[in-house]
Every structure is written in structure tokens, then in C-alpha cells.
Amino acid sequence: MCRVIDLQQAVLARNEDAARELREALAARGTVTVNLLSSPGSGKTALLEAELVLAGQRGIAAAALTADLATENDALRLARSGAPVKQVLTDGLCHLEAAMLARHLDGWLPESTRLLFVENVGNLVCPASYDLGEDLRVALASVTEGEDKPLKYPTAFGLANLVVVTKADLADAVDFDESSFLANIERVNPGVEVVFTSARTGQGVGLLLDRACAVLAGGAVHHPVMGVPSTGHHHGPPGHDHAHGNEHDHGNGHDHGPPHRHPHRDPALPPAVS
């Protein structure tokens, strides 16, 4: 008799176990983790650099780990902030996994770190199904990407605790329809906060840091409707289980909110908002 093994469920269940262990370890040392997800070119590196600079000015011990398939470009940019920064090269893997993140944090993350920003691989598909032990999951989209981004990637935006719109200074130039975007966000993630930012003009810079600090202080986070309590069984896209990549260093007790949620399926979207 043949036994069918759902490798997809097994991989995500294993990741969940690693995420739970990492979350507990970071909570014990008083570190809040922020997972940043977006498409390539969304402007999340520019925004993150500005947030890290502001954290330094405010005396908040923040660090950043950034993941890419290749190059150390983002880490070099982020290191200009003066915060501890580490580059992870995934050798072609399109997302980070909890065990992978834990290995790269081990022996590197300064004990004094209160906020850890994880800049995930630029991709709105694979990273969406992997809990990294984060306390705050943030989905970013630039105004240049169009108003229907949340509908095209409902898992990424549907599981976010916060949505950040970047490059807001270009909204008029690209005829960005803000009301349409907000309606689409509401369809996949009712009630989630949406903030508008521009790293170039400074608009909204500091809001991401403020939200992370609120979690650090024990504040509640938004509960996505799409999210469900962890059960150890998952039905997201298949994952991978490999030893990954290289890492390089650059630069020099809290309530962490509810456990992270994982998708079981894309939400059944209600009728379009006209």
C-alpha cells in the first residue's frame, strides 16, 4: 500500500517549528523582529536606510539583515546608517526560512539589539508563506507598481500586519489611484493600516520605526483576517530545505504580540469595489 506524503506541508511545518523557536529566543533577549516583503525595486532599501538612521538618532538599538540572490549592494547601502548590518546571499533561493535566519543571526546579532529589520528577498510569492519568527510583518508596494498589486499577491498583502506604500512623491506622475489601492487592500486584509512614504522627500519616514517601537513597548498588532492560528499543517506554496549561501557583516523583556499566522489558501475575494 502506497503512502502519500505531502512534502509541501512537511516543509512548512518544519519551518513553523523553527520560527517558533527563533521567536522565543529573540523574545527572551528583548528583540522585536520586523519582516519586510516587497517586489524588487519597491524602494524598501531606501526606506529602511532612512528608518535606521532615525533609529540611531533616537538612540534605539536597531540592526538589519538583508537577503538577496547575489551582490552585497543593499547591505553596503544600509551600512551607511551606522547600524549593524549583515548581508545574506541565498544562492538562488527566492526566500528566507526561519532556520536559515537563525543560523545567520547566531553569533552576529548584538545582544543590545531591540529592533531587528529583516529585508527579505525581493519577491511577493515565496516569502509570503514562510514565518521567520517575526513580530511584525510588513508588505510594501510602490506607487509605480499599480493599484492592483494587492489583488495579484493576496497572500503577501493578506497576511501583513502593516502595509507601506513607497515612492509616494511619484503618485501624481504615474496617475496612482490611491482610493482604488486602498479598496483593494481592504478586500484582501480588512482593517490593516496603510501608511504612505517617500524616502526621497521624507514623507512618512519614521512611521515604520514608530510601529515597530509600539510592538517593542507591548502594543498589539493587526490580526489579518486571512491569518489563522497555527495548527502545524499548512497549504502554501512548496518550500525548499537546503543549506544556503554566504554572509557578510557590514557596519559597526517585551510582549511580542500574537503568534504569526500562516496561509491555508488565498482568500476568496469579495466582489470588486467600483
Side-chain angles (χ1 to χ4, degrees), residues 193-273:
E193 182 183 13
V194 180
V195 299
F196 287 77
T197 67
S198 168
R200 189 177 72 159
T201 68
Q203 176 186 346
V205 171
L207 291 176
L208 176 57
L209 182 62
D210 289 343
R211 302 308 182 266
C213 286
V215 178
L216 186 64
V221 297
H222 167 72
H223 292 259
V225 173
M226 183 180 176
V228 295
S230 170
T231 63
H233 300 286
H234 308 278
H235 304 278
H240 307 269
D241 187 24
H242 308 288
H244 308 291
N246 308 306
E247 65 272 6
H248 303 277
D249 294 352
H250 298 268
N252 44 337
H254 317 281
D255 176 4
H256 283 244
H260 201 78
R261 282 70 56 196
H262 293 270
H264 281 239
R265 60 179 177 82
D266 285 346
L269 298 179
V273 178

Side-chain angles (χ1 to χ4, degrees), residues 45-103:
T45 304
L47 178 62
L48 180 53
E49 181 184 357
E51 299 287 346
L52 290 172
V53 168
L54 188 57
Q57 294 171 350
R58 293 183 181 179
I60 301 167
L65 181 145
T66 181
D68 276 304
L69 276 65
T71 83
E72 298 181 27
N73 294 348
D74 286 354
L76 293 172
R77 291 173 60 188
L78 294 177
R80 297 182 304 198
S81 69
V85 175
K86 186 175 191 178
Q87 177 76 59
V88 172
L89 301 181
T90 65
D91 289 343
L93 189 68
C94 62
H95 62 275
L96 286 173
E97 297 175 8
M100 180 183 180
L101 177 60
R103 287 196 302 271

Side-chain angles (χ1 to χ4, degrees), residues 2-20:
C2 294
R3 183 163 64 100
V4 177
I5 300 175
D6 191 333
L7 295 180
Q8 175 176 298
Q9 289 189 17
V11 168
L12 288 175
R14 184 164 61 251
N15 183 79
E16 180 183 81
D17 291 339
R20 181 169 51 250

Side-chain angles (χ1 to χ4, degrees), residues 116-134:
L116 169 64
F117 292 93
V118 178
E119 185 179 16
N120 219 314
V121 179
N123 183 342
L124 283 172
V125 181
C126 301
S129 293
Y130 286 85
D131 183 357
L132 298 183
E134 70 263 25

Side-chain angles (χ1 to χ4, degrees), residues 37-43 122-125 128 139-158 163-166 176-178 180-189 266-267 269:
L37 290 79
S38 79
S39 301
S42 68
N123 183 342
L124 283 172
V125 181
L140 301 91
S142 68
V143 298
T144 59
E145 296 175 73
E147 299 83 2
D148 61 348
K149 205 74 171 183
L151 303 184
K152 290 181 175 179
Y153 301 94
T155 300
F157 288 94
V163 173
V164 174
V165 178
T166 59
F176 179 73
D177 188 337
E178 180 178 326
S180 178
F181 180 86
L182 293 175
N184 291 334
I185 285 289
E186 187 67 14
R187 289 175 64 192
V188 300
N189 195 342
D266 285 346
L269 298 179

